[in-house]
């Protein structure tokens, strides 16, 4: 099953339960995933193991957060955090250069680390304590339960990616150890009737890191650029699935064989829209160098070796300089 545009371009649905299937089923999974990663780097995953009850709670708590009075949200503004955690106001980010600020507000959550953690003491990138809304009693517990579940799901997706690249299933095991992950809650108000030129919920961009696992509500808005079809694909919400896309680091790791693709959000639903991306970037110390199955005889790597942390810091410098 896939979602089609008018030209027939599509995003496939990958059944993660096939990871535990027969050799033939695992080969089917690997081939389907490879095709998606070579084409757009975007796909849906089904049979992911995250309960619908938890997903419902995440949306309820997210809506409650963004419904708080402005002063309550500003009290946990991410400008107060050395680890980029907390609230980001409406129009607080511009992802597409030359366009108006994005019509969204957000909230950033990471691994909960206090000041005694050696990684925090060493000043490691984006590591530290979260900020939490004081008036939402169930918010922290819900988000940390979901955060842990998404780390585990991301590890399974990395196993599937390893198979798709002709590698052992556990090839990325060290990459998945103590990962640098970010959970981001997003709220998009309706697109204004007369938007400024280029104004949209989220400007066209690629993601920096490893994989992004995106939870959508029932409102359309996500669009993915299909270079082959030369058009934007509408990634419609599909109940029981997540949308997954590859980040710039995976493109680098695969010598640009797998794609990190432009995507954007235009909330034309006429209603409030919520989404929850989970950015799985991996172990900050893990080396990222051209994978052995992505270098043909006589070819050279497009990029020198780096680490996850060095790659991220470089991408942040380019974006926020």
């Amino acid at each position: 099953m896939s979602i089609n545009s008018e030209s027939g371009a599509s995003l496939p649905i990958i059944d993660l339960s096939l990871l535990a299937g027969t050799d033939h089923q695992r080969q089917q999974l690997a081939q389907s995933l490879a095709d998606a990663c070579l084409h757009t780097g975007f796909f849906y995953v089904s049979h992911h193991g995250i309960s619908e009850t938890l997903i419902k709670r995440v949306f309820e708590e997210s809506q409650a957060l963004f419904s708080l009075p402005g002063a309550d949200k500003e009290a946990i503004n991410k400008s107060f955090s050395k680890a980029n955690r907390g609230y980001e106001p409406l129009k607080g980010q511009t992802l597409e250069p030359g366009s108006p600020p994005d019509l969204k507000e957000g909230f950033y959550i990471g691994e909960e680390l206090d000041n005694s953690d050696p990684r925090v003491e060493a000043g490691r990138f984006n590591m530290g304590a979260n900020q939490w809304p004081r008036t939402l009693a169930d918010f922290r517990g819900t988000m940390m339960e979901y955060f842990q579940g998404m780390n585990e799901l991301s590890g399974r997706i990395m196993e599937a990616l390893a198979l798709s690249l002709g590698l052992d299933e556990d090839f990325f095991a060290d990459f998945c150890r103590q990962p640098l992950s970010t959970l981001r809650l997003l709220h998009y108000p309706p697109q204004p009737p007369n938007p400024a030129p280029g104004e949209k919920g989220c400007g066209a961009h690629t993601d920096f890191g490893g994989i992004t696992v995106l939870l959508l509500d029932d409102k359309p808005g996500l669009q993915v650029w299909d270079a082959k079809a030369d058009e934007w694909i509408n990634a419609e919400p599909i109940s029981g699935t997540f949308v997954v896309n590859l980040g710039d680091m995976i493109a680098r790791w695969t010598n640009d064989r797998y794609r990190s693709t432009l995507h954007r959000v235009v909330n034309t639903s006429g209603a409030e829209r919520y989404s929850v991306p989970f950015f799985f970037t991996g172990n900050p110390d893990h080396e990222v160098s051209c994978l052995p199955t992505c270098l043909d005889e006589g070819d050279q790597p497009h990029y020198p070796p780096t680490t996850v942390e060095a790659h991220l810091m470089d991408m942040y410098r380019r974006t926020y300089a």
Side-chain angles (χ1 to χ4, degrees), residues 133-187:
R134 294 183 179 180
T135 56
L136 302 180
D138 297 326
F139 183 89
R140 176 173 178 169
T142 296
M143 295 307 166
M144 294 315 294
E145 181 182 348
Y146 185 76
F147 186 91
Q148 179 59 36
M150 295 306 289
N151 264 332
E152 294 170 0
L153 172 58
S154 297
R156 293 174 61 211
I157 295 170
M158 291 304 300
E159 290 177 4
L161 281 174
L163 294 177
S164 79
L165 289 161
L167 302 166
D168 290 340
E169 181 180 308
D170 61 355
F171 183 87
F172 293 114
D174 180 70
F175 170 74
C176 295
R177 181 179 57 82
Q178 289 192 318
L180 185 60
S181 304
T182 301
L183 174 62
R184 192 176 183 191
L185 312 177
L186 293 173
H187 166 229

Side-chain angles (χ1 to χ4, degrees), residues 197-272:
E199 189 173 35
K200 57 186 77 73
C202 178
H205 67 286
T206 60
D207 293 342
F208 293 165
I211 59 173
T212 303
V213 187
L214 174 64
L215 173 63
L216 298 174
D217 69 3
D218 59 355
K219 310 297 189 303
L222 176 64
Q223 298 179 338
V224 177
W225 181 249
D226 187 325
K228 189 175 182 180
D230 194 31
E231 66 177 351
W232 290 100
I233 298 173
N234 292 314
E236 302 288 350
I238 302 176
S239 179
T241 71
F242 290 96
V243 176
V244 180
N245 66 278
L246 310 182
D248 298 336
M249 190 171 68
I250 299 294
R252 175 180 183 139
W253 218 341
T254 60
N255 221 31
D256 295 319
R257 185 168 294 185
Y258 278 6
R259 292 180 177 271
S260 176
T261 296
L262 282 171
H263 50 287
R264 67 185 188 183
V265 172
V266 184
N267 182 18
T268 57
S269 69
E272 308 296 321

